[in-house]
Amino acid sequence: MAKRFIDTKIWDKAWFRKLSTKNKLVWIYLLGKCDHAGIWDADWELAEFIIGETVTYEELPGIIKDKMKHIKGEDQYFIPSFIGFQYGELKEHSKPHKSVIKRLVSKNLYKGYEWGIETIKDKDKDKDKVIDKKKDKGLREKNFMEKCKALQDKHEFDNVMLFQFVEFWTESNEGGRLMKFEMQKTFDISRRMSKWKSNDKNWNANTPKKKQSYISKFQKTPTGVYKAWCSKCGSREFPNNEYQIKQGSSCCAVDYLPEKVNA
């Protein structure tokens, strides 16, 4: 007897809750009667017999029709979401997936990522994209520098401050694909430069004694970096040195706190 997964959270989904009782049964019936590749032989007479009510394609609500793709030249329908839920990404080298892929190929439905299917060729392309992402990092960094230079006079940045700002925000993540400014949810260069300038003024206005007292409040990890918390959102970060502590958090561009503040 064939077995398959069912989404137990389907009863919580708004689109499903809004269906009539009959159409709820129709959708469950389609998922249960389609073959292992999500293809249903359109036997409307049997559907009516099982469900106990009249069932026609024309009477189906739009939300169900959108989830069914008619197979050209056949009295059959394909349910794309069935593939993703039952198998995840189909892979050509996986034995359980081979018969599914063969079935889709026979119906001209095997179209790579369109149905959440991953081919070996597609996987290789993704690897190339990762490599390209690393290769063009220098170009993205250069573009970032040029945008900062265009705002240099507006924010009264000297060349040293500009270099420090760019060096801080173009630090790469562990994989080397993204820079710090690219990992922020929002990043307005002008606003960040304004805050940087403000932090610099406030820092320089303090006496050396006050500076040292402020730094001494931050604890170091065994690896030598500091532990600090964003004073706005509370996120924990690890500044490498005193200068990064002075510049504030990378998430909200505000002052760091040496301890986490409970809300």
Side-chain angles (χ1 to χ4, degrees):
M1 180 181 294
K3 297 181 180 179
R4 55 190 48 163
F5 298 110
I6 186 169
D7 184 4
T8 57
K9 292 184 178 180
I10 194 171
W11 307 99
D12 301 322
K13 295 179 179 179
W15 72 267
F16 186 78
R17 292 200 310 269
K18 293 176 182 178
L19 294 177
S20 65
T21 301
K22 182 183 80 170
N23 287 324
K24 286 186 176 76
L25 287 172
V26 169
W27 181 245
I28 297 298
Y29 174 82
L30 291 174
L31 295 179
K33 292 297 289 183
C34 67
D35 65 17
H36 67 303
I39 297 172
W40 177 61
D41 291 323
D43 189 339
W44 300 101
E45 184 179 353
L46 178 60
E48 290 182 357
F49 177 78
I50 296 296
I51 293 172
E53 295 190 47
T54 301
V55 180
T56 65
Y57 180 80
E58 290 73 20
E59 293 179 352
L60 292 179
I63 189 65
I64 290 183
K65 288 181 179 179
D66 290 342
K67 296 177 182 295
M68 301 168 62
K69 308 297 179 184
H70 181 257
I71 299 176
K72 188 175 180 180
E74 302 282 354
D75 193 14
Q76 295 175 322
Y77 290 87
F78 173 50
I79 304 174
S81 60
F82 179 87
I83 298 293
F85 184 78
Q86 297 296 325
Y87 308 106
E89 290 182 333
L90 288 179
K91 299 176 181 177
E92 294 179 334
H93 58 271
S94 173
K95 288 185 178 180
H97 295 175
K98 286 183 178 180
S99 63
V100 177
I101 293 173
K102 183 178 180 180
R103 175 70 166 151
L104 294 175
V105 169
S106 70
K107 296 295 180 179
N108 294 318
L109 295 171
Y110 191 57
K111 301 178 181 179
Y113 281 114
E114 186 172 346
W115 307 128
I117 303 163
E118 180 186 45
T119 67
I120 295 174
K121 186 179 292 185
D122 290 327
K123 195 170 184 180
D124 290 339
K125 287 180 181 178
D126 277 354
K127 289 180 180 178
D128 291 338
K129 288 179 182 178
V130 173
I131 295 172
D132 290 342
K133 193 75 172 177
K134 291 181 179 179
K135 283 183 178 179
D136 71 2
K137 177 180 176 295
L139 179 60
R140 301 194 326 270
E141 185 173 349
K142 182 180 178 181
N143 290 337
F144 181 77
M145 169 65 90
E146 290 175 352
K147 290 178 181 179
C148 294
K149 280 185 176 180
L151 297 167
Q152 184 175 1
D153 292 338
K154 175 183 177 181
H155 296 287
E156 300 178 349
F157 270 42
D158 58 28
N159 289 335
V160 173
M161 185 177 290
L162 181 67
F163 173 79
Q164 291 170 339
F165 179 84
V166 173
E167 186 180 50
F168 178 80
W169 286 111
T170 55
E171 179 183 353
S172 297
N173 63 356
E174 186 176 347
R177 295 177 59 194
L178 296 174
M179 288 173 279
K180 185 174 290 186
F181 77 91
E182 295 173 319
M183 293 185 284
Q184 309 306 307
K185 291 183 178 179
T186 59
F187 193 92
D188 185 300
I189 294 178
S190 184
R191 290 188 179 185
R192 297 280 181 163
M193 290 179 74
S194 179
K195 182 62 180 178
W196 190 281
K197 183 71 175 182
S198 175
N199 286 343
D200 187 74
K201 286 181 179 178
N202 292 335
W203 183 262
N204 290 327
N206 293 329
T207 63
K209 184 176 180 180
K210 286 182 179 179
K211 292 179 185 177
Q212 189 58 40
S213 175
Y214 175 68
I215 293 295
S216 65
K217 294 179 181 179
F218 291 85
Q219 296 182 352
K220 281 190 173 183
T221 69
T223 59
V225 298
Y226 289 93
K227 291 189 290 186
W229 284 262
C230 175
S231 60
K232 184 176 181 180
C233 69
S235 296
R236 185 172 67 170
E237 296 188 351
F238 299 94
N240 292 320
N241 48 48
E242 295 180 8
Y243 183 79
Q244 289 189 357
I245 292 178
K246 178 184 72 172
Q247 295 307 327
S249 66
S250 62
C251 52
C252 302
V254 296
D255 292 338
Y256 278 126
L257 295 175
E259 297 180 356
K260 183 177 181 179
V261 177
N262 295 323

